[in-house]
C-alpha cells in the first residue's frame, strides 16, 4: 500500500543483474522467486499510487505524488526488477524528476542514477566528501584521483565531485 506502480521507460544495466541471471547470489542480495526479472534502477512514470503511500514524496514542502509524475527509482532486490514494463516500488525509493529534465535523453541518463549514482555518492562519503561538507573546506589543497572514471560509478563520481566541489 505504500508503493507506487511505475511504468518503466528506461532501466540500467549492472553487473549484479548478470550475476543473478547466471544464478549467482550477489553479496547482500536475495534472489527473488520466479519469475526472475532483474534490474535495480530506472526511470519512468507513476501509473498508480498506493493507498498508504505518503502524500508528499520526501518533504512536506513538495507537491503530492501524482499519476503521470516522471520519476527515478531503486527496486527492492527481493522483488521483480526494472526490466519489467511496470514495477511496484516503495515510495521511499522513488524521486520525482524536475520537469526541466524530462527530455528522453535526460530520463535515460537518470535511469542510471539510483545504482551507479548512489554508489558514487557513497564512495565520496567514504573519503569525507558529503553534501553537508562545506564546499570551502572540502578538498582544500587536496587532490581527488578517480581511477577508471569511464564506467557508470566512475562517471557519476567524477560528475558529482566536480559539481559539488569545483575546487578539487
Amino acid at each position: 500500500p505504500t508503493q507506487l506502480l511505475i511504468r518503466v521507460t528506461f532501466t540500467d544495466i549492472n553487473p549484479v543483474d548478470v550475476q543473478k541471471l547466471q544464478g549467482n547470489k550477489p553479496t547482500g542480495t536475495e534472489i527473488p522467486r520466479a519469475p526472475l526479472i532483474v534490474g535495480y534502477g530506472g526511470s519512468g512514470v507513476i501509473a498508480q499510487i498506493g493507498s498508504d503511500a505518503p502524500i508528499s514524496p520526501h518533504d512536506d514542502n513538495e507537491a503530492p505524488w501524482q499519476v503521470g509524475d516522471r520519476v527515478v527509482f531503486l527496486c527492492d532486490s527481493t522483488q521483480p526488477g526494472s526490466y519489467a514494463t511496470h514495477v511496484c516500488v516503495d515510495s521511499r525509493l522513488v524521486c520525482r524528476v524536475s520537469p526541466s529534465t524530462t527530455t528522453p535523453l535526460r530520463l535515460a541518463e537518470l535511469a542510471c542514477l539510483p545504482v551507479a549514482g548512489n554508489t558514487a555518492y557513497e564512495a565520496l562519503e567514504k573519503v569525507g566528501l558529503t553534501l553537508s561538507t562545506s564546499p570551502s573546506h572540502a578538498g582544500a589543497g587536496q587532490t581527488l584521483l578517480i581511477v577508471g572514471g569511464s564506467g557508470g560509478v566512475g562517471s557519476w563520481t567524477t560528475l558529482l565531485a566536480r559539481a559539488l566541489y569545483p575546487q578539487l
Side-chain angles (χ1 to χ4, degrees):
T2 63
Q3 295 181 321
L4 302 174
L5 177 65
I6 299 170
R7 182 177 51 83
V8 179
T9 54
F10 295 97
T11 188
D12 61 354
I13 299 171
N14 293 289
V16 69
D17 299 318
V18 175
Q19 291 174 358
K20 278 188 172 184
L21 289 171
Q22 292 174 336
N24 300 322
K25 180 183 172 193
T27 304
T29 65
E30 295 295 324
I31 296 183
R33 294 174 294 186
L36 175 60
I37 302 173
V38 297
Y40 275 99
S43 62
V45 178
I46 294 178
Q48 190 173 351
I49 301 168
S51 59
D52 291 334
I55 293 173
S56 178
H58 303 285
D59 181 329
D60 291 336
N61 296 324
E62 289 187 67
W65 292 117
Q66 293 183 7
V67 170
D69 280 350
R70 294 175 187 259
V71 295
V72 294
F73 60 89
L74 184 65
C75 292
D76 178 338
S77 65
T78 64
Q79 302 297 318
S82 60
Y83 285 31
T85 59
H86 290 76
V87 60
C88 283
V89 180
D90 185 309
S91 61
R92 295 172 296 177
L93 301 175
V94 179
C95 182
R96 182 182 292 123
V97 175
S98 167
S100 64
T101 58
T102 56
T103 65
L105 178 59
R106 291 288 178 208
L107 284 177
E109 292 168 341
L110 290 173
C112 300
L113 180 60
V115 177
N118 193 45
T119 303
Y121 184 76
E122 288 176 1
L124 289 173
E125 279 188 323
K126 284 193 184 251
V127 297
L129 300 176
T130 66
L131 288 175
S132 62
T133 306
S134 168
S136 62
H137 294 101
Q142 297 179 335
T143 301
L144 177 66
L145 173 63
I146 300 171
V147 179
S150 60
V153 174
S155 296
W156 278 109
T157 304
T158 302
L159 288 170
L160 286 170
R162 291 185 73 196
L164 297 172
Y165 312 101
Q167 76 281 7
L168 285 176

